[in-house]
Amino acid sequence: MTNIAIFVSGSGSNCENIIKYFSSSADIHVSLVISNKADAYALVRAKKLNVPSVVISRKELQQEEIVMPLLQQYDIHFIVLAGFLVMIPDYLIQTYDRRMINLHPALLPKYGGKGMWGHHVHEAIKEAGETETGMTVHYVSNVCDGGEVIAQFSTPLSPDDTADDIAAKEHELEMKYFPKVIEDVIRKLEA
């Protein structure tokens, strides 16, 4: 059994989608949701789907002696960052080397790095007049949005699209592809 922990900071629509995707899997299971925000709606979604959740502050995340026992308690083999807005400390990157992935709401390397998250990304894409947008799944490294790209999916944009339209189009890609990419990465690890 491969146990996944999902790290999330916000509403958790991807978190819920991932939990549901793996709910019928015989060998991949979402075992834990971790958020840095006590008011993240993702925690409500996790509870409704009977997945344990824990709040870990930014400061606590830096403390290996707090985080590692928790991950060991839930026998976590793989970490998915799904809208987690905190840089991951080196000890976690090293422990989960090539077993921790992140979703970014743009076609990296464009619109990545510090400050490029959520609506900031979609507004920048609109302002630049891009003709397409997309999502990137990448391994987590110690460079913000700098890890090796695993998969990218794109969608066309029209000049009339607002930042909200761009966000909606990109989010459709996340819902469709992110769980499958997670599964593919895990299957390769198991092979």
Side-chain angles (χ1 to χ4, degrees):
M1 178 66 75
T2 298
N3 292 316
I4 299 174
I6 301 175
F7 286 36
V8 62
S9 296
S11 77
S13 58
N14 272 298
C15 179
E16 179 177 354
N17 192 38
I18 295 163
I19 293 167
K20 288 179 175 178
Y21 182 87
F22 290 111
S23 66
S24 60
S25 173
D27 58 349
I28 300 173
H29 179 68
V30 177
S31 301
L32 182 64
V33 171
I34 294 177
S35 181
N36 63 305
K37 295 184 175 186
D39 63 348
Y41 192 70
L43 299 172
V44 174
R45 294 178 193 262
K47 184 176 183 178
K48 286 180 180 176
L49 295 169
N50 299 312
V51 175
S53 61
V54 177
V55 177
I56 294 181
S57 70
R58 283 178 186 260
K59 184 178 177 183
E60 290 169 332
L61 185 67
Q62 302 305 315
Q63 299 173 41
E64 185 173 353
E65 66 277 9
I66 292 175
V67 177
M68 289 310 297
L70 177 66
L71 296 176
Q72 290 162 0
Q73 177 188 342
Y74 286 91
D75 195 23
I76 299 302
H77 306 109
F78 197 84
I79 296 174
V80 174
L81 308 184
F84 191 63
L85 303 179
V86 180
M87 283 296 292
I88 300 298
D90 288 342
Y91 76 86
L92 266 179
I93 293 169
Q94 291 164 3
T95 302
Y96 287 90
D97 181 42
R98 300 187 73 79
R99 293 185 295 128
M100 183 177 354
I101 63 175
N102 182 48
L103 168 69
H104 186 75
L107 296 170
L108 291 175
K110 288 183 172 184
Y111 309 104
K114 190 170 179 165
M116 282 288 110
W117 54 273
H119 215 65
H120 302 287
V121 173
H122 308 305
E123 288 169 352
I125 289 167
K126 173 63 179 172
E127 191 173 305
E130 295 284 355
T131 57
E132 71 173 356
T133 191
M135 61 170 275
T136 301
V137 181
H138 64 91
Y139 290 108
V140 176
S141 73
N142 58 5
V143 176
C144 185
D145 298 325
E148 178 189 342
V149 170
I150 298 165
Q152 291 185 311
F153 302 92
S154 63
T155 186
L157 299 175
S158 79
D160 297 332
D161 284 336
T162 65
D164 287 340
D165 295 332
I166 293 168
K169 287 181 175 185
E170 188 275 330
H171 192 67
E172 281 183 38
L173 295 175
E174 294 175 3
M175 294 293 107
K176 182 175 182 180
Y177 294 111
F178 194 28
K180 181 68 175 128
V181 172
I182 295 166
E183 182 176 27
D184 290 347
V185 172
I186 290 172
R187 297 282 179 227
K188 286 178 186 167
L189 284 171
E190 293 172 343

